[in-house]
Structures are given as C-alpha cells and as structure tokens.
Amino acid sequence: MSVYVISEVEILDETAAQRYRELAQASITGYQGRYLARGATPTVLEGVCDKRVVLVEFPDRETAERWYASAEYAEALELSKTALRRRLLLVDGVA
C-alpha cells in the first residue's frame, strides 16, 4: 500500500533550500519515491495554510521510513534544520 510524505514548508534560506531540494530529490528517487506535488502553493478551502506543500509517494511505509533514516538523506535532513521550517507527515494510503 502506498504511503505519502506530506511536508508543509516555509523557506528560511533560499540558497540552502535549493541545495536541500537537490539532495532530497536524489535520495527520494533512490528509495522509489516520486513527487506528486513540489513547492505547490495550496488553495485553502478551510483553515489556514501559508506554507508551500510537497507531496511524495513511496511504495510502502517501510520504504519511506528507510528513506527518512537513510545515509542518503542524512545530509539533506541536517541541512533542512537551517534551510527551512516545516511540518513533515507520514500518511498511509488506502487499500
């Protein structure tokens, strides 16, 4: 069953965020992930959202969790701490 990583992102440092995007994309691809939305500005139907949204699909939860904890993503993850402010969610799809 597919699983989705949903990120609500505020860019703090555009140069560092660009490097983050490059590193993250390479690591995501290496774990069979694919972007469904990247840096999208959502139309808010209810509530408040002033962030960019990123949506990544992985084939299953185990793969997504291995990606997040991977050596391939580690540099991007460390860079994200100063490049952006975000909320990162892991959501199971429906069977």
Side-chain angles (χ1 to χ4, degrees):
M1 171 179 22
S2 292
V3 68
Y4 302 92
V5 174
I6 303 168
S7 183
E8 295 175 348
V9 181
E10 176 186 351
I11 304 299
L12 301 176
D13 177 333
E14 187 58 51
T15 302
Q18 178 58 37
R19 180 67 180 141
Y20 168 82
R21 286 188 287 270
E22 293 164 2
L23 294 167
Q25 180 174 356
S27 68
I28 287 167
T29 302
Y31 281 81
Q32 303 170 342
R34 69 183 185 114
Y35 286 95
L36 300 178
R38 186 171 185 189
T41 303
T43 299
V44 180
L45 299 176
E46 293 185 22
V48 178
C49 181
D50 59 354
K51 311 281 191 263
R52 297 181 192 181
V53 175
V54 179
L55 177 60
V56 177
E57 178 183 38
F58 286 94
D60 53 56
R61 178 174 280 271
E62 180 184 346
T63 303
E65 289 174 342
R66 282 189 301 112
W67 160 75
Y68 186 76
S70 72
E72 294 85 354
Y73 184 59
E75 184 179 351
L77 184 59
E78 186 61 32
L79 188 57
S80 74
K81 295 174 185 175
T82 57
L84 29 112
R85 181 177 302 127
R86 68 181 176 175
R87 180 167 64 163
L88 195 65
L89 308 167
L90 184 62
V91 179
D92 291 314
V94 294

